[in-house]
């Protein structure tokens, strides 16, 4: 993936140019409800820093950013009631991972049985 593009939708949300339904906000992290939820709970969690993918974030973010991000994700799971029943934490990266927004983000999805993670490969 190329350098960070600060015109992506999540960068614009962070700048306040696009409204969102905020679930949680900390010094380093913003979480908001997905506008096209795939389950009763579908929250997007993004770092406030300019990171493109999971590996970019974990290789280059500060320890404080990484800890804050993951603790915020955990709090959302507990607060949303999906920590006990189960949930999926998904981060798509690049072309083969079907990443649609070039800003690192994690989907927290739950509130119903989610089925298999991936379909069996076709022969």
């Amino acid at each position: 993936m190329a350098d960070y593009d600060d015109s992506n939708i999540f960068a614009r949300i962070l700048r306040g140019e696009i409204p969102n339904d905020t679930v949680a906000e900390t010094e380093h992290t913003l979480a908001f409800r997905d506008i096209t939820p795939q389950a009763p709970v579908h929250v997007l969690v993004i770092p406030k820093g300019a990171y493109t993918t999971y590996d970019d974030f974990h290789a280059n973010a500060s320890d404080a950013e990484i800890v804050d991000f993951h603790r915020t994700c955990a709090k959302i799971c507990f607060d949303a009631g999906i920590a006990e029943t189960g949930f999926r934490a998904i981060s798509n990266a690049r072309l083969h991972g079907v990443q649609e927004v070039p800003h690192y983000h994690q989907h927290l999805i739950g509130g119903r049985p989610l089925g298999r993670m991936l379909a069996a490969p076709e022969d």
Side-chain angles (χ1 to χ4, degrees):
M1 190 165 276
D3 292 332
Y4 185 80
D5 176 5
D6 67 1
S7 68
N8 76 71
I9 192 168
F10 293 164
R12 295 180 63 209
I13 287 171
L14 286 168
R15 289 193 301 268
E17 297 170 7
I18 298 174
N20 71 88
D21 187 1
T22 299
V23 171
E25 184 169 10
T26 67
E27 179 182 359
H28 301 292
T29 306
L30 177 66
F32 49 92
R33 287 178 182 80
D34 194 298
I35 61 171
T36 56
Q38 303 299 302
V41 175
H42 189 163
V43 176
L44 294 171
V45 186
I46 64 174
K48 291 184 176 180
Y51 304 103
T52 56
T53 57
Y54 176 94
D55 53 304
D56 177 29
F57 177 70
H58 286 86
N60 298 305
S62 69
D63 290 349
E65 290 173 296
I66 294 169
V67 169
D68 180 78
F69 183 87
H70 289 289
R71 291 217 169 126
T72 301
C73 287
K75 182 176 182 338
I76 291 164
C77 291
F78 284 104
D79 291 351
I82 59 174
E84 286 189 27
T85 58
F87 62 94
R88 200 166 277 151
I90 301 171
S91 176
N92 302 315
R94 298 184 185 85
L95 179 64
H96 287 187
V98 193
Q99 183 177 5
E100 294 178 6
V101 179
H103 183 111
Y104 172 57
H105 56 288
Q106 185 156 287
H107 297 257
L108 298 176
I109 303 169
R112 67 167 174 79
L114 299 172
R116 304 289 297 158
M117 180 70 167
L118 297 171
E122 295 180 18
D123 292 327

